[in-house]
Amino acid sequence: MTNRHIIFKTFIDFLLNPLAPPTSLPLQGQVGVASQRKKLSAPRISLSLDQSEDDLFDTPDDLDINVDDLDTPDEADYTDHEIDWEEPQASQSESVKETVEPIPTYSAQEERQDSKLWRTVIIGEQEHRINMKSIEPYQKVISHGGYYGNGANAIIVFAACFLPDSDREDYHEIMENLFLYVISTLELMVAEDYMIVYLNGATPHRRTPGFNWLKRCYQMIDRRLRKNLKSFIIVHPSWFIRTILAITKPFISSKFSSKIKYVNSLAELKELIPMEYVHIPECIIRQDEELREAAENSKISSFLQGSENPQESIAQPNASSS
């Protein structure tokens, strides 16, 4: 075999198995063992000596490699290993924004409870809605005090001490709803003749209703209620209430002015109406006791001063006669 044939055979072996170790050297770990040559099955080729040197390096047809059939890594194989360059906080914020809270269920009991928070009333042939939740702490401002006389003559008690403070941010909203509540409740309580007992005691100036509020209440009262009102009793009147009534006197009828009565104590009120079902707040009872004690002390002091004055007058003539 000539050198030309050896070179050609070596090249064919390399093409068929390029990673195989050289067959002329012993494998690793087989030192001392007789070297064995690996037998390879070469394809049938023509070893004609007539081929030119350029033909030695031509690849046979059986060894044509189809690139499309080779297994190459897909782009999807690298997507799992791509680095996320976004900041973790930004990705978390986006996930939070995408999260939508579920709409809470609205049970039948909650629906009934919500309907109790609003009351629809008709005043002056107009429909109004009252926010009952906003005036819940102030509903004691008006109450039913029983009846007087022989018929169904109602006693309506209005306690000004239960009104809200005027320094509240939602004062006007509360007074608006409270105004509708008072007028609508008055129409429900009154069937025939009635009287109003206005408890003004123990009411600081910040809780005293303003002139415009009282004027609007009077104007919104139905004509039937104005006609059936027999008496308007003011208990423990202050100078502020007296001033307001004096200012409003030109705007109200003379009949209504004649119905206003001032009462300085609860004892005087008992002489006018039955007090069995009239609820008097504790703060008004305490103030009434303080006023009564102050009045008694004033009488005692005036009596003592009066008793001392006659003795002085008697002593003066005696001294002059002597």
Side-chain angles (χ1 to χ4, degrees), residues 58-230:
D58 293 337
T59 306
D61 296 338
D62 296 338
L63 297 178
D64 290 341
I65 300 173
N66 189 0
V67 179
D68 296 335
D69 295 337
L70 295 178
D71 292 334
T72 58
D74 298 334
E75 294 181 358
D77 297 338
Y78 293 97
T79 55
D80 296 338
H81 305 284
E82 292 179 357
I83 299 175
D84 187 7
W85 295 101
E86 297 180 358
E87 296 181 0
Q89 295 180 354
S91 59
Q92 291 179 1
S93 62
E94 291 179 0
S95 61
V96 171
K97 292 180 180 179
E98 294 177 357
T99 304
V100 179
E101 296 183 357
I103 300 175
T105 57
Y106 203 54
S107 62
Q109 183 178 1
E110 292 176 345
E111 186 176 358
R112 289 192 299 268
Q113 184 67 22
D114 183 68
S115 62
K116 295 180 180 179
L117 300 179
W118 292 88
R119 177 186 295 181
T120 302
V121 297
I122 298 177
I123 301 175
E125 298 181 356
Q126 293 183 358
E127 183 176 308
H128 303 272
R129 296 194 68 192
I130 304 175
N131 187 354
M132 301 300 294
K133 186 177 181 180
S134 64
I135 64 172
E136 183 177 0
Y138 314 106
Q139 293 183 14
K140 294 181 180 180
V141 70
I142 186 171
S143 61
H144 200 294
Y147 299 93
Y148 71 97
N150 298 327
N153 302 323
I155 301 174
I156 308 300
V157 181
F158 188 94
C161 60
F162 291 124
L163 289 173
D165 293 340
S166 58
D167 56 355
R168 291 179 57 95
E169 295 182 357
D170 54 350
Y171 175 76
H172 295 288
E173 179 183 356
I174 293 176
M175 291 298 289
E176 177 67 20
N177 286 276
L178 196 60
F179 161 76
L180 297 174
Y181 174 76
V182 169
I183 298 300
S184 60
T185 304
L186 187 62
E187 292 181 352
L188 294 175
M189 289 181 177
V190 173
E192 298 180 3
D193 295 343
Y194 70 103
M195 69 168 54
I196 294 178
V197 178
Y198 186 91
L199 302 176
N200 186 67
T203 303
H205 181 67
R206 66 180 184 274
R207 293 185 182 179
T208 303
F211 168 74
N212 292 331
W213 194 84
L214 294 175
K215 179 181 178 182
R216 187 181 178 191
C217 286
Y218 176 78
Q219 292 175 347
M220 291 293 292
I221 292 178
D222 186 73
R223 184 177 180 276
R224 177 183 65 88
L225 295 178
R226 294 184 189 179
K227 182 179 179 181
N228 294 343
L229 179 62
K230 299 304 178 182

Side-chain angles (χ1 to χ4, degrees), residues 1-67:
M1 182 179 295
T2 64
N3 293 334
R4 184 178 180 181
H5 290 83
I6 293 173
I7 292 172
F8 181 78
K9 185 177 183 304
T10 303
F11 182 76
I12 295 302
D13 293 339
F14 176 78
L15 292 177
L16 295 175
N17 193 3
L19 300 179
T23 57
S24 61
L25 296 176
L27 299 175
Q28 185 177 1
Q30 295 180 351
V31 180
V33 180
S35 60
Q36 297 180 357
R37 293 183 179 273
K38 186 176 181 180
K39 295 180 180 181
L40 300 175
S41 58
R44 297 178 61 184
I45 57 176
S46 176
L47 299 177
S48 175
L49 297 176
D50 296 333
Q51 293 178 346
S52 62
E53 293 180 359
D54 297 332
D55 296 335
L56 293 176
F57 298 95
D58 293 337
T59 306
D61 296 338
D62 296 338
L63 297 178
D64 290 341
I65 300 173
N66 189 0
V67 179

